Amino acid sequence: MTTLEGTPNPEAPNPQLPIVQKLRIQYAKRGRLRFTSHRDFARAFERAVRRAGIPIGHSSGFTPHPKISYANASPTGAASEAEYLEIGMTQPCDPEQVRGALDSALPDGLDIVEVVIAAPGTFADRLEASSWQIALPGVSLEHAEAVTKAFLAADEVLIERIMKRGPRTIDCRAAVVALSARLDDANSEPCAILAVVVRHVTPSVRPDDVLAGLRSSGGLELKQTPIATRLAQGPLDSETGTVGDPLVFDRDAS
Amino acid sequence: MSVESLFPRLEPLLPTVGKPIQYVGGELNATTKPWESAEVRWALMYPDAYEVGLPNQGVQILYEVLNERDWILAERTYAVFSDMEKVMRDNDIPQFTVDAHRPVRAFDLLGVSFSTELGYTNFLTALDLADIPLHAVDRGDDDPIVLAGGHSAFNPEPVADFLDAAVLGDGEEIVLAISEVVREWKAEGRPGGRDEVLLRLAKSGGVYVPKFYDVTYLPDGRIQRVVPNRPGVPWRVAKHTLMDLDSWPYPKNPLVPLAETVHERFSVEIFRGCTRGCRFCQAGMITRPVRERSIEGIGAMVQNGLDKTGFEEVGLLSLSSADHTEIAEVAKQLGDRYEGTNTSLSLPSTRVDAFNITLANEFSRNGRRSGLTFAPEGGSERLRKVINKMVTEDDLIATVAAAYSHGWRQVKLYFMCGLPTETDDDVMQIGELAKRVIQTGREVSGRNDIRCTVSIGGFVPKPHTPFQWASQLDHVTTDDRLKKLRDAVRADRKYGKAIGFRYHDGQPGIIEGLLSRGDRRVGRIIEAVWRDGGRFDGWSEHFSYDRWATQTEIALADEPVDLDWFTVREREYAEVLPWDHLDAGLDRDWLWEDWQDSLNPDGALEVEDCRWTPCFDCGVCPQMDTEIQIGPTGKTLLPLSVV
Ligand code: B12
Ligand code: SF4
């Protein structure tokens, strides 16, 4: 197949409309669509914006990009109730209408939870920690409690993580603010559920790292593939070890 | 029988395989229906990876046409990569559909779309994973009817043993007709079992059921004859032709994948068929006559497709899109309509003339002028006559001059190597042409940074073309010619650096040749290669020539034929070709004459395009009861409706 290519806009003077409003968006990755990678999501979201006819701003220059900034995306395979992004608008819009329009333009399983008008300030700074739930199908509560205890008792739990430049040893203990286990009663088979609050540090400590730490420090034995779900991310209350709602400032401001 | 989703069993395994998103479905505009709601159920397969198969228009169209009927359900399945294949085997998970993750074996029909022959081994993997017996004769009443379509189904003989049926040509109407037959047979309580429903399909004249035909061979290995072995089964099976594209505006709800695919755009087929008459081109020969979609139809489909998908790019698809009678208006009006919306347009085109540049300029109106592609196909003028690609060297130079002077910096030229009558010299001419192109480009643009990329594919003779009798060039000579050409281009001080050179080596083409013009004996080879681990033959990193060559030798050890016999051997007029009983509408004698015309010692005779000259009797229209449907209509794109 041969193609004649035409690329949009670029060289021609391309004055883009100014941004008049910023919206912050909380979205969820649910069910089978938890397997979308961050890049997959970004493509789907841009298409949803176009389908929904949202007046989004574009960068000027050679290839204009829609003004979307993502904060701290969860790893592929993890479900999430609390992912965030920000978009720049060329016309002020009602946040609830934008929520509805985007949600129906996205496939089921990629769901828009809430849209608010952004108050000033850097949003990323508010995302201090994440609260994760990790289901461990086939693992008994006793076992889960034992490994949790061993992990919490340690000052440092070193694990190996494959990074772009090869394997690297990191401590996954320090970032864990809270960790507890309970039993999933909805399930007929035993299934322990871990609740873990992790501070956002660099390099980040992800659910897989915590599980690796539980293996090395307490001898966690997995029966099946665990499923991690991010329940919240936001400001950390270090006294209670809980994660707050990062949009509360924006809601209050408007 | 209710059928459960395999997803709960699959889900815990997905984190262990590469790109799991390709197995989960959930695309925008996908359809899932309750199992019980349908009387006839189709699994549609594109036998390549999801990222290649999902964008396929043929499958998307059939998926939608079938699902629009409330009594039919259609789901999709693709080839799984080898890591997933292993996981599925280890955990006893059968081949599944991505829509509702139902096991393929539970469906009434498995429709496989073959746009290339290189999907045959993947097809066997899918059958095996689905737990469907590989050989049609071993299948029972609980197995789906395995049916092939797509361009390669015009010679399904190499996979005949694995198929229950094959369909030639456009699928829209015939899949519905097949569904009716299956529905009726099921409602009657499946009288006569599998054979009865296949017989009903065969008797209709539009479905080829290989096992109802016996093939006998002469002592020297040629086919003696192909005869129906049941009463009522036709001697020849005809292709299907969809008329009036405007009443079939599919896909209406194009699938938008989450995973990244090879073709991220919304495509509108602006016409079907091509009558330029390039002698090497199977697609052009088997899709006649030309049937255009009207400018209004195109306008409506583009708008609908963009609204429903959110894609940024629209492709205007066909075999030679610049040949649409109203393409200039289409380009201009679409440019106007989408000006300033960051929507880009593209069209595949092989034309080598100034008109193409005008169009390309229109398509890139507000944009960057990066690269343009032309397909002269043959290096020398003599050879271009042989293949009936009527482009003179001066045409080509004038065209590229126009391109460079309009600000295009890069020109890509597409050629073939191994065409009938070709000599070393014809191929060396490609280099000379490329040098002239650069020289002209530098002159007209006054710049030194212009480039020309020469891309060369190996010619593979295909069934139902005038070259179906031709000898394929052996891979050693192919590689040798290409090496000489490359060395000559590289050695050129003045232009060498400005010329890029892309080519494939000759070996894969030989296997494609075997699969294209093979007969039923080739099925053994495909099976042996597959058993030996052959997968994804269209991917150079997975393809193994040695495996194919070795298995061919073993599988044909007791036959008077071998790999060369199927590929580099020239055929005679009287030889029964494996696909002679399959009717693409083309008159065999017309094809033969065209083949002889190409070989005329005083220079090949050229054939005009029947769109703008009187009919030259290729046979298709009277045989298939079809006609050329072209504009201009003089109408305009529909205005955008105001939301
Ligand atoms: C877009 C396109 C691509 C895209 C997208 C491919 C894709 N996944 O669909 C890309 C760029 C990736 C591509 C790649 C290649 N392509 Co391409 N491609 C095309 C193009 C321009 C359009 C295809 C299309 O959508 N047609 C429209 C649909 C509706 O037609 P269709 O698929 O044939 O389906 C209809 C019927 O065949 C039938 N049907 C199809 N399947 C089934 C199944 C059943 C059960 C039934 C009953 C009926 C049925 O019903 C459908 C509706 O009527 C065609 C040219 C053309 N206009 O056809 C070339 C073409 C199909 N490609 C071709 C080739 C050679 C290739 C490559 C091998 C190139 C290469 N060397 O790498 C690869 C192979 C990729 C692969 N593994 O499949 C050739 C095929 C050669 C041949 N058979 O003679 C064509 C014909 C171009 C040409 N003129 O040479 N291609
Ligand atoms: S222009 Fe030639 S190569 Fe292209 S589709 Fe038509 S016949 Fe085939």
Side-chain angles (χ1 to χ4, degrees):
Chain A
M1 190 179 99
T2 53
T3 327
L4 299 178
E5 291 161 14
T7 322
N9 275 326
E11 239 163 29
N14 176 31
Q16 295 286 354
L17 296 171
I19 304 301
V20 298
Q21 183 190 46
K22 270 192 180 172
L23 297 179
R24 288 197 174 125
I25 297 180
Q26 180 186 353
Y27 67 94
K29 262 164 70 172
R30 293 173 176 147
R32 56 181 170 167
L33 292 204
R34 69 190 167 89
F35 292 104
T36 42
S37 69
H38 177 56
R39 273 165 58 97
D40 297 337
F41 176 81
R43 264 194 321 274
F45 185 76
E46 284 180 31
R47 286 172 188 158
V49 165
R50 292 171 64 89
R51 269 161 50 80
I54 306 289
I56 196 168
H58 284 84
S59 62
S60 49
F62 209 55
T63 22
H65 290 294
K67 294 261 187 194
I68 306 173
S69 46
Y70 297 91
N72 206 29
S74 65
T76 308
S80 177
E81 290 298 317
E83 301 295 292
Y84 294 91
L85 60 82
E86 218 170 67
I87 58 177
M89 309 280 282
T90 57
Q91 273 170 45
C93 286
D94 172 47
E96 187 43 36
Q97 268 181 7
V98 171
R99 196 204 66 76
L102 281 175
D103 192 47
S104 51
L106 279 165
D108 279 346
L110 298 180
D111 301 317
I112 304 291
V113 179
E114 187 174 0
V115 177
V116 298
I117 298 173
T122 318
F123 183 68
D125 292 349
R126 289 186 213 157
L127 303 182
E128 294 172 340
S130 285
S131 156
W132 290 92
Q133 164 188 299
I134 310 174
L136 306 174
V139 173
S140 69
L141 181 60
E142 295 70 46
H143 182 57
E145 276 175 336
V147 296
T148 308
K149 218 165 151 190
F151 180 90
L152 289 172
D155 292 331
E156 193 186 58
V157 177
L158 296 179
I159 56 159
E160 192 153 282
R161 169 115 148 243
I162 310 298
M163 312 280 251
K164 271 193 196 112
R165 280 192 220 118
R168 183 172 157 187
T169 304
I170 62 166
D171 171 30
C172 67
R173 173 64 189 88
V176 174
V177 182
L179 174 66
S180 63
R182 65 182 167 85
L183 198 65
D184 181 4
D185 350 277
N187 229 318
S188 52
E189 285 179 37
C191 176
I193 294 191
L194 302 178
V196 50
V197 174
V198 186
R199 197 178 303 119
H200 294 168
V201 290
T202 322
S204 62
V205 172
R206 298 178 306 202
D208 276 358
D209 303 321
V210 175
L211 291 175
L214 287 168
R215 207 173 304 131
S216 69
S217 65
L220 169 66
E221 276 180 43
L222 290 175
K223 303 285 179 216
Q224 287 173 41
T225 321
I227 299 181
T229 307
R230 171 140 66 192
L231 299 178
Q233 52 175 329
L236 175 68
D237 182 334
S238 7
E239 265 165 41
T240 57
T242 52
V243 176
D245 180 350
L247 297 183
V248 75
F249 308 93
D250 308 282
R251 247 180 259 120
D252 288 352
S254 60
Chain B
M1 177 185 68
S2 187
V3 169
E4 294 201 354
S5 167
L6 295 161
F7 196 70
R9 287 176 53 207
L10 197 60
E11 188 175 11
L13 304 167
L14 287 177
T16 64
V17 301
K19 298 192 203 159
I21 187 69
Q22 65 184 309
Y23 305 117
V24 309
E27 302 90 348
L28 199 67
N29 301 329
T31 309
T32 43
K33 293 185 176 180
W35 188 254
E36 308 298 342
S37 71
E39 293 165 63
V40 176
R41 307 180 184 99
W42 285 78
L44 295 172
M45 175 174 202
Y46 192 90
D48 205 326
Y50 180 88
E51 64 196 61
V52 179
L54 180 117
N56 180 259
Q57 288 258 320
V59 170
Q60 288 202 23
I61 291 172
L62 301 182
Y63 175 74
E64 202 173 341
V65 166
L66 290 168
N67 274 321
E68 274 181 359
R69 306 297 179 287
D70 58 8
W71 53 278
I72 308 178
L73 165 164
E75 302 195 10
R76 295 159 296 127
T77 184
Y78 303 94
V80 300
F81 280 123
S82 52
D83 62 341
M84 183 61 154
E85 183 185 338
K86 181 168 187 315
V87 164
M88 287 164 70
R89 290 189 191 281
D90 290 350
N91 293 277
D92 257 324
I93 295 180
Q95 180 80 20
F96 54 86
T97 58
V98 296
D99 300 279
H101 295 91
R102 288 163 173 149
V104 165
R105 187 162 181 255
F107 289 75
D108 298 311
L109 296 124
L110 169 60
V112 190
S113 180
F114 288 114
S115 44
T116 130
E117 297 81 6
L118 299 172
Y120 291 160
T121 49
N122 287 348
F123 163 53
L124 295 192
T125 310
L127 285 179
D128 187 53
L129 283 173
D131 208 18
I132 299 170
L134 290 191
H135 292 256
V137 290
D138 298 332
R139 288 178 199 143
D141 285 353
D142 288 340
D143 292 305
I145 294 168
V146 180
L147 176 97
H151 288 183
S152 301
F154 278 80
N155 176 24
E157 293 302 87
V159 274
D161 290 351
F162 318 119
L163 292 175
D164 294 300
V167 162
L168 279 61
D170 297 334
E172 287 86 344
E173 292 170 311
I174 184 68
V175 291
L176 294 174
I178 292 171
S179 303
E180 294 278 3
V181 172
V182 172
R183 176 198 217 179
E184 218 175 274
W185 169 75
K186 282 177 78 177
E188 289 166 18
R190 304 171 186 254
R194 194 175 183 81
D195 268 13
E196 166 73 18
V197 70
L198 289 173
L199 196 59
R200 289 188 193 180
L201 290 171
K203 282 181 176 167
S204 73
V207 179
Y208 173 55
V209 179
K211 74 170 175 189
F212 293 159
Y213 295 79
D214 290 331
V215 183
T216 50
Y217 301 92
L218 295 166
D220 66 4
R222 286 176 302 154
I223 295 175
Q224 184 181 31
R225 66 173 81 87
V226 181
V227 271
N229 57 25
R230 310 251 167 149
V233 174
W235 282 85
R236 298 191 81 203
V237 182
K239 75 159 178 179
H240 300 268
T241 313
L242 191 74
M243 300 306 290
D244 189 15
L245 253 52
D246 277 334
S247 51
W248 295 85
Y250 295 91
K252 294 177 189 166
N253 293 291
L255 295 168
V256 187
L258 285 152
E260 190 164 6
T261 64
V262 295
H263 218 224
E264 300 265 318
R265 62 170 84 111
F266 171 63
S267 297
V268 176
E269 249 188 306
I270 62 172
F271 62 86
R272 270 196 198 162
C274 177
T275 39
R276 290 209 155 231
C278 304
R279 293 182 172 118
F280 55 83
C281 181
Q282 184 190 42
M285 292 291 159
I286 63 179
T287 59
R288 294 164 175 232
V290 171
R291 291 142 289 150
E292 284 188 357
R293 199 182 294 285
S294 72
I295 184 169
E296 286 174 301
I298 295 169
M301 276 188 77
V302 169
Q303 183 190 342
N304 173 64
L306 287 176
D307 288 353
K308 293 239 173 90
T309 61
F311 280 132
E312 282 201 319
E313 188 182 339
V314 179
L316 301 182
L317 196 104
S318 77
L319 286 168
S320 180
S321 292
D323 286 343
H324 189 284
T325 52
E326 286 173 301
I327 191 68
E329 289 76 11
V330 169
K332 179 174 180 315
Q333 293 175 32
L334 285 179
D336 289 349
R337 186 198 267 184
Y338 295 107
E339 181 135 26
T341 62
N342 298 324
T343 303
S344 66
L345 302 166
S346 70
L347 88 161
S349 168
T350 56
R351 277 177 64 165
V352 189
D353 58 25
F355 176 63
N356 221 349
I357 311 291
T358 314
L359 269 182
N361 291 345
E362 195 61 65
F363 272 76
S364 62
R365 198 196 287 177
N366 312 308
R368 180 163 44 145
R369 305 217 153 136
S370 47
L372 262 184
T373 305
F374 303 101
E377 314 278 8
S380 68
E381 207 144 316
R382 185 194 71 79
L383 201 57
R384 287 195 292 277
K385 280 197 173 147
V386 171
I387 61 179
N388 202 42
K389 192 99 195 178
M390 291 178 268
V391 181
T392 65
E393 182 161 339
D394 291 342
D395 285 346
L396 177 75
I397 294 301
T399 307
V400 298
Y404 287 121
S405 66
H406 277 103
W408 300 88
R409 292 279 160 266
Q410 166 123 325
V411 163
K412 188 169 159 195
L413 299 177
Y414 193 83
F415 296 95
M416 274 189 270
C417 175
L419 290 162
T421 77
E422 182 185 276
T423 62
D424 284 9
D425 182 57
D426 291 307
V427 174
M428 297 304 278
Q429 295 275 323
I430 295 175
E432 297 308 310
L433 210 54
K435 287 184 215 165
R436 252 193 94 185
V437 163
I438 294 292
Q439 186 193 7
T440 312
R442 286 182 185 163
E443 274 166 28
V444 298
S445 70
R447 302 173 62 129
N448 258 330
D449 65 346
I450 53 160
R451 284 189 59 79
C452 168
T453 304
V454 169
S455 181
I456 308 183
F459 166 65
V460 178
K462 295 272 170 160
H464 305 282
T465 66
F467 290 165
Q468 64 181 357
W469 290 280
S471 134
Q472 181 174 357
L473 188 63
D474 67 276
H475 63 85
V476 179
T477 314
T478 301
D479 292 347
D480 186 50
R481 279 190 190 154
L482 291 174
K483 187 177 175 302
K484 279 187 192 148
L485 171 62
R486 190 195 56 194
D487 292 348
V489 170
R490 291 233 173 115
D492 191 284
R493 291 251 183 99
K494 204 161 167 207
Y495 304 114
K497 285 222 161 62
I499 301 173
F501 196 62
R502 276 198 218 148
Y503 65 98
H504 297 287
D505 42 81
Q507 288 183 337
I510 290 293
I511 301 309
E512 195 189 328
L514 169 74
L515 299 175
S516 298
R517 291 194 294 172
D519 55 39
R520 292 190 182 182
R521 291 169 292 193
V522 171
R524 274 178 247 161
I525 306 170
I526 299 170
E527 185 172 341
V529 163
W530 174 77
R531 290 199 185 281
D532 193 45
R535 306 285 189 276
F536 288 92
D537 288 302
W539 299 49
S540 51
E541 62 268 47
H542 298 301
F543 176 82
S544 160
Y545 177 78
D546 291 341
R547 174 185 277 147
W548 277 97
T550 310
Q551 297 300 335
T552 303
E553 218 164 286
I554 300 171
L556 298 180
D558 298 332
E559 299 283 347
V561 300
D562 59 12
L563 185 53
D564 281 353
W565 189 87
F566 281 108
T567 54
V568 303
R569 181 179 63 98
E570 184 174 334
R571 279 75 159 162
E572 297 284 322
Y573 173 78
E575 178 168 345
V576 178
L577 301 173
W579 51 90
D580 274 347
H581 57 301
L582 300 172
D583 186 6
L586 298 151
D587 181 42
R588 197 178 193 271
D589 287 334
W590 180 82
L591 284 176
W592 177 261
E593 264 169 46
D594 204 40
W595 166 225
Q596 296 307 308
D597 285 350
S598 75
L599 300 176
N600 191 327
D602 303 326
L605 306 180
E606 292 168 317
V607 196
E608 296 286 329
D609 189 319
C610 58
R611 267 170 297 185
W612 28 84
T613 58
C615 169
F616 46 78
D617 289 328
C618 77
V620 173
C621 288
Q623 179 75 6
M624 295 293 146
D625 193 20
T626 53
E627 58 180 11
I628 301 172
Q629 292 182 332
I630 54 172
T633 62
K635 303 227 169 85
T636 55
L637 292 187
L638 283 181
L640 262 188
S641 53
V642 184
V643 194

